[in-house]
Amino acid sequence: DVKEDITLYAIWEEIPATVRVDLYANDGTDNVKTIKAASGEYLLPENNFDVPEDKTFAGWSLKSDGEVIADKSIDLVYDTELYAIWKEAQHVHDFKITTTFEPTCTADGYDILGCICGETKRDNFTNSKDHDWGDYETLAPAGCGSKGVEIRACKVCGLTEARVIEKADHVFESDFTVDQKATVYSDGSMSKHCKNCEATTDSTVVPAIGAAILSDSMYTYDGSEKLPEVKLVDREGTELVCDKDFTVTYSDNINAGTATVVIACCGKYEGNIISEFRIIKGTQNLKITSSSGTVKYKPLKKKAQYLAALKVTGAKGTKTFTKVGGSSKLTITKSGKIKVKKKTKKGTYRIKVKVTSASTSNYKAASTTRTITVKVK
């Protein structure tokens, strides 16, 4: 606050020969470059900082957010700070091929080019080609009364085209096919079938099965398997063929009892027929092969003597021995030995013996009688 006259004097200082210039990248980093420059007119430098993405260098400013210095130079008197000013870069498309479409038989080929900004365009066009057809293949064969279709495809584009196959005549098989098998209750049928469709011709009746006839209905047990021959005829009397029209299986056909024959129809026939035959019990060939025996008189003085004079063959069941006649001096034991009583005198004696063999599951009971001569000497 001046209230009276005063005198002011100018103070002068010398301008330095060089000054310091700090160049700031001003890109959000601490990147700064320092140079020494002569005082006076200073030509603003080129930018040597890395350009931030999507930016371009606009120039230098005395403030980080100031206006760009319009002149190409400034006067340097003191140390100075210069800030790089960046502005949005104007985008230049850089198109590269992303997809290639080869030419087809109906459309031109071309490349799709894209830029990182998302812009796309088509370029590098090539002309379309002619179809390269493959061979025809049957899609639906011609039938006997209906036309067929065959198609072919282009090897390049996959386009297909079809043409008609004219209908064909029936081609019948030479052999018959059984359409319905005959049974013991109903007729069957057979016909010749067309190879190409479901048409048939020459339909023929297969007569129903009439009867099963066994060559024998009764056998006698002898330990061997019984296999009566089987004859099978249809209702018209025609004989069927074994192993072609039917097969035969036997069961329970060895031992005495009822045996079973299962006739399984096959070929043009179906179903099973069961027949039976009898195996009766066999006869035991029972024989007494011995007829005489001798005992010493001397031992008889003290006790009875036993003589194994009976030899029995052919017995299949349990044997029993019975005296049916003869001398009172002789008896027969349960085991078949002849007992000569004590003190029997010297001489010739006879005993009539009946041997019985009991029945079994396969044999009838049997018996035989024989007179045995015993001499006491």
Side-chain angles (χ1 to χ4, degrees), residues 5 15 41 47 63-65 89 184 209 229-230 245 256 258-259 264 294 323 355 366:
D5 294 338
I15 298 175
E41 184 178 9
N47 169 52
K63 296 181 178 181
S64 62
D65 58 352
V184 293
I209 300 168
E229 183 181 348
V230 177
D245 299 322
T258 300
T294 302
K323 178 180 178 180
V355 180

Side-chain angles (χ1 to χ4, degrees), residues 112-127:
I112 293 181
L113 292 82
C115 178
I116 58 173
C117 69
E119 187 75 17
T120 61
K121 67 176 183 178
R122 296 183 181 185
D123 204 352
N124 306 327
F125 289 91
T126 53
N127 294 330

Side-chain angles (χ1 to χ4, degrees), residues 284 286 312 315-321 334 355-360 364-366:
Q284 300 184 56
L286 189 63
V312 180
K316 303 296 182 181
T318 302
K319 298 188 294 292
T320 58
F321 302 87
K334 291 182 178 181
V355 180
T356 301
S357 178
S359 65
T360 67
K364 296 181 289 185

Side-chain angles (χ1 to χ4, degrees), residues 175-197:
D175 296 327
F176 280 93
T177 297
V178 177
D179 302 309
Q180 178 66 48
K181 293 188 176 185
T183 69
V184 293
Y185 306 107
S186 60
D187 293 339
S189 63
M190 60 183 182
S191 61
K192 293 181 179 179
H193 287 220
C194 178
K195 296 179 180 180
N196 302 319
C197 71

Side-chain angles (χ1 to χ4, degrees), residues 151-180:
I151 62 172
R152 65 177 181 175
C154 176
K155 298 177 183 178
V156 179
C157 68
L159 180 70
T160 59
E161 67 175 13
R163 69 182 182 186
V164 174
I165 305 173
E166 294 301 322
K167 63 182 180 180
D169 294 330
H170 290 300
V171 180
F172 291 105
E173 300 281 358
S174 58
D175 296 327
F176 280 93
T177 297
V178 177
D179 302 309
Q180 178 66 48

